[in-house]
Amino acid sequence: MALIYLHNTLSGKKEPFAPAKKGFFGFLRRPKVGMYHCGPTVYNYAHIGNLRAYVFADTLKRLVKAAGYSVKQVINITDVGHLTSDADTGEDKMEKARRREHKSAWDIAKFYTEAFFSNLADLNIDTAGTKFPRATDFIREQIRMVALLEKKGFAYRTSDGIYFDTAKFPDYGKLGDIDIAGIREGERIGKNAEKRNPTDFALWKLSAAQGGGSAGEKRDMEWDSPWGVGFPGWHIECSAMASALLGIPVDVHTGGIDHIPVHHNNEIAQSEAAFGKEFVRYWLHSAFVNIEGGKMAKSEGNFITLDTLKERGFSPLAYRYFLLGARYSTPLNFTWEALEAAQTAYKRLKQTIAQGEYFPKGTSMAKEIPLDYSKKLLDLISDDLNTPAALALLHDLLEDEELKWSEKKKLLREFDSLLGLDLLSKGKEREIPVEVQKLADERARARAAKDWKRSDELRDEIAKLGFEVKDTPEGQKIS
Ligand code: AMP
Ligand code: ZN
């Protein structure tokens, strides 16, 4: 069993990982690891920054499996209650989208949930056994938890809902060492003067006080509750679903770094107050994908989707390669040039591997060498997911003249299972990108016009993109 080290936001340190439930590394019973990942708010497409959070969660799942554990993974779908402001003011993002698109909030949720699943498939994210609970399917559990908090004296009523009293939870703000005293009235409190403390947050909001935008408009999503018709505050869904589906303490909980100050501190406060025990053992946070110096965000309108990448001729796995080129905790600057470089490197890798299949080379059969790569790979990923070093090792492996192709292939399977780059498949990655096809079409026209000089130039341009063009009696063949 490999020892895994993870950077825990709770302690601010890299720690050796051990799940809460002890088990035996036997053939039949593997110790279980419960992992919860804050999922998308399905009021719009996920952008490529959001998708980093799930490539990260996937790499973690692949590592935990490779280390010999069995994994219980949950990625929630936020389809209600996420307001446009963290201060519990503003509008429910789902209701806002409903007006934008003239559809019901339910149809909006369905549409963007499916788009999200299609993104996960494109990025080769392993969803086997993963649960994707929707917040609207866990309303009962959320109401039960709010009622428990009220019974234990942690909640109070205002004219627009039920709030958590953060002053009653002395550890409030422990994740990421938040400067609670520094959060002044008006920062998080927004317009709600009935809140007792600036950091208090909504557990349940009342429809009557909330409306669906313009006054008197009825919300699409609302439920009966002991406090009146309304809907859950955003944070409570994660606590309710994590405890219902994984049990607490949850071993690993992840999200983007923007979740540390508010969302995750709120999850901790309400869960530990309600259940009286530790909520999560290891908190891990992924850094942003930035664009032109700022955070890529749906609200900023500067976001790029995976479909846009595909339309521009990029393969989703080239984007995965781009992401793995930095550790999950390092901010990444997205530029088209950087993605182009990642795509070229990725295609070259695939090409080298495809050539290896046809022209196997190498001499030694020394058993220790493959084992050495295998151990190094697992050690690197076990070191708080050092994916950039794992990619460098992958290049070393392919350049290693001492290894036989059969040995390399065995090792490439291990790289594939940990990095999910689909290195050995000959399927979808063989697709010809649009830009290559355009150059090939232009070359066909140049040849028809007997412009051999232009034809050769275009062959070189195609080669620069990692593709080879051959002239056959049936026409050009690109590989
Ligand atoms: P949302 O759909 O807005 O709830 O966000 C889904 C996930 O994406 C969360 O884990 C966020 O922390 C994360 N996230 C949001 N913006 C970015 C970004 N620009 N780069 C990386 N992750 C992000
Ligand atoms: Zn969450």
Side-chain angles (χ1 to χ4, degrees):
M1 182 193 63
L3 200 50
I4 298 176
Y5 288 87
L6 300 174
H7 184 274
N8 192 347
T9 311
L10 200 54
S11 63
K13 290 194 195 107
K14 198 152 52 169
E15 296 174 10
F17 171 77
K21 287 198 194 89
K22 303 284 174 271
F24 303 100
F25 281 92
F27 181 68
L28 289 173
R29 271 182 25 163
R30 288 153 171 250
K32 281 199 182 73
V33 172
M35 308 210 298
Y36 186 94
H37 315 279
C38 287
T41 309
V42 285
Y43 70 109
N44 206 334
Y45 292 104
H47 60 62
I48 56 171
N50 298 137
L51 294 172
R52 184 183 200 187
Y54 313 108
V55 168
F56 156 53
D58 185 47
T59 314
L60 197 57
K61 175 186 185 181
R62 288 168 182 269
L63 164 66
V64 171
K65 273 164 92 171
Y69 297 99
S70 82
V71 178
K72 275 173 95 177
Q73 186 180 46
V74 175
I75 301 177
N76 69 296
I77 302 289
T78 298
D79 58 356
V80 68
H82 195 169
L83 303 190
T84 48
S85 148
D86 267 355
D88 293 315
T89 55
E91 227 185 314
D92 187 323
K93 294 181 180 187
M94 299 304 301
E95 298 285 334
K96 193 173 172 188
R98 157 199 161 189
R99 285 204 317 284
R100 181 186 69 215
E101 299 191 16
H102 309 290
K103 287 188 200 165
S104 78
W106 297 100
D107 286 342
I108 299 273
K110 188 167 181 290
F111 179 84
Y112 290 113
T113 303
E114 275 161 21
F116 174 65
F117 287 149
S118 141
N119 288 164
L120 297 189
D122 276 345
L123 287 165
N124 200 24
I125 286 173
D126 172 12
T127 53
T130 303
K131 289 200 168 91
F132 293 94
R134 292 176 301 183
T136 51
D137 285 337
F138 282 77
I139 297 296
R140 219 179 30 187
E141 288 77 358
Q142 295 177 73
I143 291 179
R144 216 182 286 146
M145 215 175 141
V146 179
L148 186 59
L149 286 167
E150 194 178 35
K151 195 170 136 213
K152 291 194 170 184
F154 287 100
Y156 62 93
R157 298 184 191 213
T158 72
S159 58
D160 81 345
I162 308 296
Y163 283 77
F164 185 92
D165 187 345
T166 50
K168 299 252 168 78
F169 188 76
D171 268 352
Y172 187 79
K174 67 180 169 181
L175 187 72
D177 248 338
I178 304 303
D179 173 19
I180 299 303
I183 299 175
R184 282 178 292 278
E185 296 288 320
E187 279 181 19
R188 281 205 210 165
I189 202 165
K191 292 189 191 105
N192 191 344
E194 292 177 68
K195 276 190 190 179
R196 291 182 188 166
N197 310 287
T199 45
D200 291 358
F201 55 92
L203 296 165
W204 185 263
K205 292 213 90 174
L206 297 171
S207 288
Q210 195 61 22
S214 45
E217 197 179 340
K218 194 175 174 314
R219 288 178 55 94
D220 269 354
M221 294 172 158
E222 55 184 14
W223 295 263
D224 238 341
S225 82
W227 315 281
V229 175
F231 57 98
W234 169 41
H235 317 290
I236 196 78
E237 69 173 86
C238 289
S239 294
M241 294 193 279
S243 55
L245 296 170
L246 297 171
I248 64 171
V250 172
D251 290 310
V252 182
H253 192 318
T254 75
I257 46 160
D258 52 330
H259 285 345
I260 300 171
V262 182
H263 183 50
H264 287 168
N265 270 300
N266 292 357
E267 279 191 40
I268 293 174
Q270 66 201 2
S271 308
E272 299 192 352
F275 304 123
K277 54 180 176 174
E278 187 187 27
F279 176 44
V280 168
R281 292 161 55 80
Y282 299 84
W283 283 96
L284 272 70
H285 292 96
S286 48
F288 287 149
V289 173
N290 295 316
I291 185 160
E292 284 155 12
K295 178 195 171 195
M296 187 180 293
K298 291 179 217 177
S299 54
E300 297 295 322
N302 63 358
F303 72 89
I304 298 169
T305 63
L306 202 59
D307 282 346
T308 307
L309 297 196
K310 283 161 75 180
E311 279 155 20
R312 292 219 189 174
F314 290 99
S315 103
L317 291 187
Y319 181 60
R320 185 171 177 123
Y321 184 91
F322 167 76
L323 289 177
L324 297 179
R327 214 193 218 123
Y328 71 93
S329 46
T330 308
L332 255 173
N333 204 27
F334 177 86
T335 61
W336 290 104
E337 294 71 35
L339 183 63
E340 188 85 53
Q343 168 131 308
T344 306
Y346 178 63
K347 297 271 176 195
R348 283 218 183 98
L349 271 178
K350 295 276 291 186
Q351 220 167 24
T352 309
I353 292 164
Q355 269 165 16
E357 291 281 21
Y358 292 112
F359 311 108
K361 281 197 296 198
T363 47
S364 126
M365 260 300 272
K367 286 277 180 289
E368 318 81 70
I369 298 170
L371 269 181
D372 191 39
Y373 275 105
S374 178
K375 186 178 173 317
K376 258 194 208 152
L377 170 66
L378 196 55
D379 283 351
L380 288 172
I381 304 291
S382 301
D383 176 18
D384 199 30
L385 309 191
N386 193 350
T387 53
L391 289 185
L393 184 71
L394 170 61
H395 286 275
D396 290 349
L397 164 71
L398 286 170
E399 278 163 24
D400 192 331
E401 301 264 313
E402 299 288 304
L403 288 180
K404 279 199 161 186
W405 177 248
S406 56
E407 294 170 309
K408 284 190 184 176
K409 205 167 157 181
K410 220 186 285 169
L411 289 161
L412 285 170
R413 264 189 218 114
E414 292 184 21
F415 276 87
D416 258 351
S417 78
L418 277 162
L419 301 176
L421 285 170
D422 221 3
L423 296 167
L424 284 164
S425 92
K426 299 191 181 77
K428 45 190 179 192
E429 282 315 312
R430 284 278 180 93
E431 279 170 18
I432 309 299
V434 184
E435 52 181 344
V436 172
Q437 192 57 54
K438 274 193 194 146
L439 293 172
D441 293 344
E442 194 186 333
R443 185 171 178 272
R445 285 194 294 275
R447 291 179 68 76
K450 301 200 184 328
D451 185 352
W452 311 120
K453 186 168 163 280
R454 181 73 191 131
S455 160
D456 287 346
E457 284 168 4
L458 286 160
R459 179 202 295 278
D460 291 344
E461 280 185 46
I462 292 171
K464 272 191 215 143
L465 296 173
F467 286 78
E468 189 185 12
V469 59
K470 278 194 189 129
D471 297 301
T472 72
E474 292 83 45
Q476 301 182 104
K477 284 258 152 52
I478 310 165
S479 57

